[in-house]
Amino acid sequence: MRFVREILKDVEGYTPGEQPQGSNLIKLNTNENPYPPAPGVLEALRNLSADALRKYPDPLSVAFRRACAQRYGAPDESWIFAGNGMDELLAMVLRTFVDPGDTVVATYPTYSLYEILCVLHGAKLHYVDLDDDFQLTPDFMSASGRLCFLTRPNAPTGVAAPREAVADFCARFQGIVVIDEAYADFAADTCMDFPDRFDNVIVMRTFSKSFSLAGMRVGTMKAQPQLVREFLKTKDSYNMNAASQAAALAAITDYDHMLASVAKVCATRQRLREALVARGFRVPESQSNFLLAHWNGTPSAKDIFQALSAQQIFVRYFSARRLENALRITIGTDAECDALLAAIDGILGAAK
Amino acid sequence: MRFVREILKDVEGYTPGEQPQGSNLIKLNTNENPYPPAPGVLEALRNLSADALRKYPDPLSVAFRRACAQRYGAPDESWIFAGNGMDELLAMVLRTFVDPGDTVVATYPTYSLYEILCVLHGAKLHYVDLDDDFQLTPDFMSASGRLCFLTRPNAPTGVAAPREAVADFCARFQGIVVIDEAYADFAADTCMDFPDRFDNVIVMRTFSKSFSLAGMRVGTMKAQPQLVREFLKTKDSYNMNAASQAAALAAITDYDHMLASVAKVCATRQRLREALVARGFRVPESQSNFLLAHWNGTPSAKDIFQALSAQQIFVRYFSARRLENALRITIGTDAECDALLAAIDGILGAAK
């Protein structure tokens, strides 16, 4: 393409998980929440006035950021930034703190979007392998770069690095540490207090998982005000529309609804994990709303993935190093997980 | 700030027009449409299901892009891209087609956001002055760069360059030409057919003005598929949420509602322009939903702006070169414009 930047010539872009259409399918492939958002969210959308649509939204999303500050233990909204999904925040953090050519650190494996964002920005991504149990290694602890993406709990493993190790890393690392807490509401503990003591830490959250708002694109983050100020400079003028601001505010206001939804998902997660382990899968303890189920038998993990797809049961398969023999399974309802197990039994039984 | 990029050290960010709160105020400062969006838009938002919020939205906004293709004379949606407001498209076009250090061309004056976007991206903005009637000059016609932002009708002048001149420029210019048609629905003609014959032209539209959807952040563009493909690579994975996709589709589907709204605005525009000219303002013929009213008398334009603000009537004042003696006035309802004129009469009368 004659006009495009050299840097983009070989870029393919991020491939979102398949969004199969139709009824009677079981969708356990994109880590959505199987339960609906808080009733107040739909009400907030129904109550949007013609005037709210006609006029520009609050460019600073103040009401929502204030609610986040209160919930996430920040003095006020100057510690909070919010955007059009955590995707936007992840892209913005590179544009704000990383020059083209700079090094960005991440564990391997981790959320595959970081690599794409680095390529688009012209940054060098330095992957440091996790150990066999998907835990941080000494090599990672001593890595250096302008910025680090640390996903906790990690995707697609579900494993959360110990808080103390993450704190040690934040104290040692010279650049910005983005702690991607997309799945933290499903975890035993979080690092949301780290920005209180580290001036280089940004903790990010998405409302797509625990709050059941993937459709509305809501991401938020906590960091010291001098970091948040830079985001306010580099953001699009009106990055959250009136509907997503209203929905996000309603969602965080009904926090108990989210907690109840998360409790159900975590109970099903334990049940599904035990059932998969009983069938011979190796499944690390997950602190998120999915399981990474390793399978070294016959048929292969990829074959199982395809056989499940043929039965309209969708899980995620990555053809990437260290993930070729695994399926990432989103925690659905109990009924969906039972159907998944029955299908797996059928596939494994037929192969015997 | 220790962590921030050198390039951002002196950046202030874009200052959106004031969003005064309260009732009994007349808001003619941010080019919003005084009339509500199509009834189908509110209905579409009311009909959003819990499932639509819970699940990821269509990452490619196909339904809306298809409707745009049909409306804007494109063979199919491969000619259309859509995003979270035209702001997102303007930022993306730099990231996609301009390397840091490259030159970007624009007229002066024009939409002030381009300059901020260029600074954030590290591009050099080369302004070419318009002539005294705010028309394109020979210098502009022969300008060169990697990309050109050409606003038609222009902001904040309201003047539309002749189609033939724009076509000549597109044929001559070696880089990408972005024709920013934010206000084109209020104009006598448009350049929406240019991408059919120019492989370097991108025509952008916002739904914030003519469609009364500033609150929903909807932007769209038409270009040849090989250009659109690059946007699909560089965009955020899910850049339009479920609500904005539904609202945008409903809005473009009820095209007659938009046309009726635009007709009312254009009638008021003519009436207001004549009234301002009768009072001694110099007001270029506007093809948009605002007027740029020049005033060289006493009190100054800035004083009038401040006196109006004190009466809760908000217009836009730019303290920039060639704009110091002007007010940019959004076309409101007839009643709002009458109130504005009465207030101006009071201010000018009191000064005599």
Side-chain angles (χ1 to χ4, degrees), chain A residues 4-5 8 11 19 32-33 53-56 84 95 99 209 214-215 217 230 233 237 239 242, chain B residues 4-5 8 11 14 19 32-33 53-56 84 95 99 209 214-215 217 230 233 238-239 242:
Chain A
V4 76
R5 297 173 65 187
L8 300 178
V11 171
Q19 291 287 5
E32 288 143 343
N33 192 317
L53 306 188
R54 184 179 72 73
K55 292 202 275 188
Y56 281 96
N84 187 38
R95 285 180 216 132
D99 284 305
K209 321 293 180 182
R217 318 307 306 127
E230 299 299 324
K233 287 202 275 186
S237 317
N239 62 330
Chain B
V4 75
R5 296 174 67 187
L8 301 178
V11 171
Y14 177 70
Q19 291 288 3
E32 288 143 343
N33 192 317
L53 306 188
R54 186 180 68 74
K55 293 202 275 188
Y56 281 95
N84 186 38
R95 287 181 214 131
D99 284 305
K209 320 294 181 185
R217 320 306 306 126
E230 300 298 325
K233 287 203 275 186
Y238 302 94
N239 62 332

Side-chain angles (χ1 to χ4, degrees), chain B residues 5 87 99 146 162 166 198 234 246 264 268 274 292 300 316:
Chain B
R5 296 174 67 187
D87 283 352
D99 284 305
R146 189 82 183 260
V166 177
F198 296 113
T234 55
K264 281 193 283 184
T268 306
E274 286 163 9
L292 188 68
S300 69
R316 191 92 191 251

